[in-house]
Amino acid sequence: MRDILFKNALVFDGTGAPPATGDVLVEDGRVRAVGGGLPASAHRIVAADGLALMPGIIDSHTHFDAQITWDPYVRPSPALGVTTAVIGNCGFTIAPCKSKDRELTMRNLTQVEGMSLEVLRQGIAWDFETFPEYLAQLRRRGSAVNIAAYVGHSGVRTFVMGQDAPKRVASDSEISQMQAIVREAMEAGAAGFATSTSPAHNGEGGLPMPSRLADEREMRALVMAMAESGRGVYMLTKGGHTSISFLESLAADSGRPVMIAALLHSGTNPQAVFDDLDAIAAANKRGHRLVGQVSCCPLTMDFTMLSPYPVEGLQSWKPALGLHGDALMAVLANRSFRDGVRAELASSAKFRLFNGEWDKVQVVETAFPVNASHEQQTIAQIARAEQRDPLDVMLDLALSEDLRTVFTAQLLNSDEEAVARMLNHPNSIVSLSDAGAHLTFFNDAGFGLHLIGHWARELGTMSISEAIRRLTQQPAQAFGMRGRGLIRAGYAADLLLFDPGTVGRSSKHRVFDLPAGGQRLTTDAIGVHGVWVNGQQVADENGLRDSAPLAGELLTSFAA
Ligand SMILES: [Zn+2]
């Protein structure tokens, strides 16, 4: 393969050390040398003068499992500087999956990922049943970025228990069948085992995602099966009832790191996330590897009442879950249903996505011109003006428009002082882009550019070097990704060339490029000049290149 010489770049090597101006020589997909005095000629010379060069961003929390089967470019991540993505987070994988369970698996994903069933039906290429077969498909078809894949608990549970997976506790024999699948996946090269106990994660018909039915015995058995391989990360999105001390006991027994999502700051319970981080820090002092996934983006979601993700985790919302059409409209109009929701929102909770902050819910788009004056108004504003209850305002407006009104809610992580403390916490990892999921709700695939531009450059929460370390070396070490995450001789040439004076992400906008014409939200890069994966350029200053190479590698060999 031909060589590339980056001349006069401000090189951030990923260790957190201050940058140094110099040249970087790339050969055969790897960094050959870093510094001054390198050969003056190369097949291609990139005059970096004034621009910064860093290792590519490692996105440790994505859900590209389905999308990657029809879009090997995993848009929009490569254009946003991401060169490695970890898939299968929260355990929502499409492998393993028996052919008879495909429809059920897609229906579950529709609910948790914010993609229409039609998108998934037309989009997913099902050339596999087992996890090793899925990895073989990924390897065969290639991808624009490097991919590491968890084996997912909900997929494993559905494979063994079928329709019963979201309904009951598993028997001993079912648990041992699940263990065998986890062992087989680790042997094939899974990055670890992922699960969710979060009440926000519901599937088809409003049933919980299957992993939520696991008892502690099953959870422990599967983590221990993963650990037999001597490697692997145990990842979970934690419900309020899952204690850090239980997770610490799993880390202690298995000797494996535990990655805990989703640590987001809530204005109504501002201490909760710091209690979790303190408990994680205490566990680390006892020698147990726990790390908390935090986000550098405010959690803002667009939604309609056809799929109102922010409220679907409420106990009182249960009667509406899984309903469609007239049946759904009838429940939303029902007085006692609404009273139940109001009562729950008024009660205290350890963790809740939406907490009745009506001044943070806005009407984005109305379906009928008669309501257009409400666009950009908050529900609180409308309620005050009309002297009505805010829940009634939101539901009545939606009902009058066949549930097509688009709302946006600023849910969590909007207190910048608190988020800054979380981002700098020694036991946190900056993550949670959720790229590939919640496609119609939000898009944080540009989280890395946002960390560097907004938090480091604009707010000075951390140095640019430290922001880069948190996006590169730290996640590479957390997963044992050998030879990645640094600009160093012998390391893979996963590189991001950018302007440190302008780097950031654009505001979100809607595009209609999914299979079956489905829509998603996306963001563009600002200040990115080029992205290379294993020495091949996949994006430039205009974004993903036309016919960009599928330069990514499927990562299946991790350090212990
Ligand atoms: Zn997730």
mmCIF file of all heavy atoms in Angstrom, residues 61-63 89-92 201 235 237 261 293 432 434 437-438, ligand 1:
data_model
loop_
_atom_site.group_PDB
_atom_site.id
_atom_site.type_symbol
_atom_site.label_atom_id
_atom_site.label_comp_id
_atom_site.label_asym_id
_atom_site.label_seq_id
_atom_site.Cartn_x
_atom_site.Cartn_y
_atom_site.Cartn_z
ATOM 1 N N HIS A 61 -20.168 3.529 22.510
ATOM 2 C CA HIS A 61 -21.589 3.194 22.724
ATOM 3 C C HIS A 61 -22.407 3.475 21.463
ATOM 4 O O HIS A 61 -23.004 4.540 21.306
ATOM 5 C CB HIS A 61 -22.165 3.970 23.917
ATOM 6 C CG HIS A 61 -23.494 3.434 24.375
ATOM 7 N ND1 HIS A 61 -23.738 3.014 25.663
ATOM 8 C CD2 HIS A 61 -24.646 3.217 23.707
ATOM 9 C CE1 HIS A 61 -24.985 2.576 25.761
ATOM 10 N NE2 HIS A 61 -25.561 2.695 24.583
ATOM 11 N N THR A 62 -22.413 2.508 20.553
ATOM 12 C CA THR A 62 -23.255 2.651 19.361
ATOM 13 C C THR A 62 -24.204 1.460 19.247
ATOM 14 O O THR A 62 -24.047 0.445 19.928
ATOM 15 C CB THR A 62 -22.441 2.730 18.042
ATOM 16 O OG1 THR A 62 -22.099 1.401 17.613
ATOM 17 C CG2 THR A 62 -21.186 3.577 18.200
ATOM 18 N N HIS A 63 -25.166 1.633 18.344
ATOM 19 C CA HIS A 63 -26.157 0.592 18.047
ATOM 20 C C HIS A 63 -26.239 0.394 16.533
ATOM 21 O O HIS A 63 -27.316 0.407 15.959
ATOM 22 C CB HIS A 63 -27.522 1.000 18.597
ATOM 23 C CG HIS A 63 -27.575 1.038 20.084
ATOM 24 N ND1 HIS A 63 -27.813 -0.079 20.842
ATOM 25 C CD2 HIS A 63 -27.406 2.049 20.968
ATOM 26 C CE1 HIS A 63 -27.801 0.242 22.136
ATOM 27 N NE2 HIS A 63 -27.553 1.532 22.241
ATOM 28 N N ASN A 89 -24.346 -2.451 22.201
ATOM 29 C CA ASN A 89 -24.552 -1.895 23.530
ATOM 30 C C ASN A 89 -25.961 -2.157 24.038
ATOM 31 O O ASN A 89 -26.908 -2.287 23.263
ATOM 32 C CB ASN A 89 -24.263 -0.385 23.511
ATOM 33 C CG ASN A 89 -22.777 -0.101 23.628
ATOM 34 O OD1 ASN A 89 -22.242 -0.052 24.722
ATOM 35 N ND2 ASN A 89 -22.107 0.037 22.477
ATOM 36 N N CYS A 90 -26.082 -2.240 25.338
ATOM 37 C CA CYS A 90 -27.356 -2.487 26.013
ATOM 38 C C CYS A 90 -27.886 -3.894 25.715
ATOM 39 O O CYS A 90 -28.970 -4.258 26.155
ATOM 40 C CB CYS A 90 -28.430 -1.459 25.665
ATOM 41 S SG CYS A 90 -27.879 0.244 25.746
ATOM 42 N N GLY A 91 -27.128 -4.672 24.916
ATOM 43 C CA GLY A 91 -27.543 -6.046 24.627
ATOM 44 C C GLY A 91 -28.589 -6.173 23.552
ATOM 45 O O GLY A 91 -29.152 -7.238 23.343
ATOM 46 N N PHE A 92 -28.829 -5.061 22.804
ATOM 47 C CA PHE A 92 -29.854 -5.099 21.748
ATOM 48 C C PHE A 92 -29.207 -5.498 20.433
ATOM 49 O O PHE A 92 -29.032 -4.687 19.537
ATOM 50 C CB PHE A 92 -30.517 -3.730 21.575
ATOM 51 C CG PHE A 92 -31.084 -3.175 22.829
ATOM 52 C CD1 PHE A 92 -31.155 -1.803 23.018
ATOM 53 C CD2 PHE A 92 -31.553 -4.011 23.834
ATOM 54 C CE1 PHE A 92 -31.686 -1.275 24.180
ATOM 55 C CE2 PHE A 92 -32.081 -3.485 25.005
ATOM 56 C CZ PHE A 92 -32.149 -2.111 25.177
ATOM 57 N N HIS A 201 -36.192 0.666 28.648
ATOM 58 C CA HIS A 201 -35.990 -0.207 27.492
ATOM 59 C C HIS A 201 -37.131 -1.211 27.336
ATOM 60 O O HIS A 201 -37.161 -2.252 27.976
ATOM 61 C CB HIS A 201 -34.642 -0.924 27.613
ATOM 62 C CG HIS A 201 -33.484 0.006 27.364
ATOM 63 N ND1 HIS A 201 -32.244 -0.178 27.916
ATOM 64 C CD2 HIS A 201 -33.395 1.131 26.609
ATOM 65 C CE1 HIS A 201 -31.438 0.806 27.506
ATOM 66 N NE2 HIS A 201 -32.119 1.603 26.725
ATOM 67 N N MET A 235 -20.878 -4.937 29.894
ATOM 68 C CA MET A 235 -21.488 -3.621 29.756
ATOM 69 C C MET A 235 -22.964 -3.706 30.123
ATOM 70 O O MET A 235 -23.637 -4.652 29.703
ATOM 71 C CB MET A 235 -21.337 -3.174 28.293
ATOM 72 C CG MET A 235 -21.919 -1.832 27.921
ATOM 73 S SD MET A 235 -23.677 -1.869 27.578
ATOM 74 C CE MET A 235 -24.074 -0.130 27.809
ATOM 75 N N THR A 237 -26.669 -1.176 30.750
ATOM 76 C CA THR A 237 -27.413 0.047 31.008
ATOM 77 C C THR A 237 -28.299 -0.278 32.200
ATOM 78 O O THR A 237 -29.102 -1.190 32.175
ATOM 79 C CB THR A 237 -28.215 0.485 29.766
ATOM 80 O OG1 THR A 237 -27.272 0.808 28.749
ATOM 81 C CG2 THR A 237 -29.059 1.700 30.073
ATOM 82 N N ALA A 261 -23.682 2.150 32.041
ATOM 83 C CA ALA A 261 -24.405 3.254 31.405
ATOM 84 C C ALA A 261 -25.742 3.385 32.138
ATOM 85 O O ALA A 261 -26.132 2.469 32.861
ATOM 86 C CB ALA A 261 -24.637 2.934 29.930
ATOM 87 N N GLN A 293 -20.166 5.214 32.025
ATOM 88 C CA GLN A 293 -20.308 5.917 30.737
ATOM 89 C C GLN A 293 -21.088 7.206 30.960
ATOM 90 O O GLN A 293 -22.235 7.172 31.411
ATOM 91 C CB GLN A 293 -21.035 5.041 29.716
ATOM 92 C CG GLN A 293 -20.213 3.851 29.233
ATOM 93 C CD GLN A 293 -20.854 3.149 28.043
ATOM 94 O OE1 GLN A 293 -22.004 3.377 27.707
ATOM 95 N NE2 GLN A 293 -20.091 2.266 27.399
ATOM 96 N N LEU A 432 -21.819 7.218 25.103
ATOM 97 C CA LEU A 432 -23.271 7.389 25.022
ATOM 98 C C LEU A 432 -23.754 8.149 23.790
ATOM 99 O O LEU A 432 -24.784 8.811 23.846
ATOM 100 C CB LEU A 432 -23.809 8.082 26.295
ATOM 101 C CG LEU A 432 -23.622 7.309 27.603
ATOM 102 C CD1 LEU A 432 -24.087 8.175 28.784
ATOM 103 C CD2 LEU A 432 -24.395 6.007 27.572
ATOM 104 N N ASP A 434 -24.976 6.709 21.343
ATOM 105 C CA ASP A 434 -26.137 5.929 20.887
ATOM 106 C C ASP A 434 -26.281 5.960 19.362
ATOM 107 O O ASP A 434 -27.374 5.767 18.836
ATOM 108 C CB ASP A 434 -27.438 6.419 21.536
ATOM 109 C CG ASP A 434 -27.808 5.574 22.752
ATOM 110 O OD1 ASP A 434 -27.376 4.408 22.824
ATOM 111 O OD2 ASP A 434 -28.537 6.076 23.630
ATOM 112 N N ALA A 437 -29.036 4.315 16.823
ATOM 113 C CA ALA A 437 -30.312 4.066 17.498
ATOM 114 C C ALA A 437 -31.046 5.384 17.687
ATOM 115 O O ALA A 437 -30.485 6.452 17.460
ATOM 116 C CB ALA A 437 -30.096 3.408 18.851
ATOM 117 N N HIS A 438 -32.277 5.282 18.144
ATOM 118 C CA HIS A 438 -33.082 6.480 18.433
ATOM 119 C C HIS A 438 -33.026 7.459 17.256
ATOM 120 O O HIS A 438 -32.973 8.668 17.447
ATOM 121 C CB HIS A 438 -32.578 7.192 19.702
ATOM 122 C CG HIS A 438 -32.384 6.287 20.875
ATOM 123 N ND1 HIS A 438 -33.405 5.535 21.409
ATOM 124 C CD2 HIS A 438 -31.298 6.012 21.627
ATOM 125 C CE1 HIS A 438 -32.949 4.837 22.436
ATOM 126 N NE2 HIS A 438 -31.664 5.093 22.590
HETATM 127 ZN ZN ZN B 1 -27.660 2.205 24.179
#
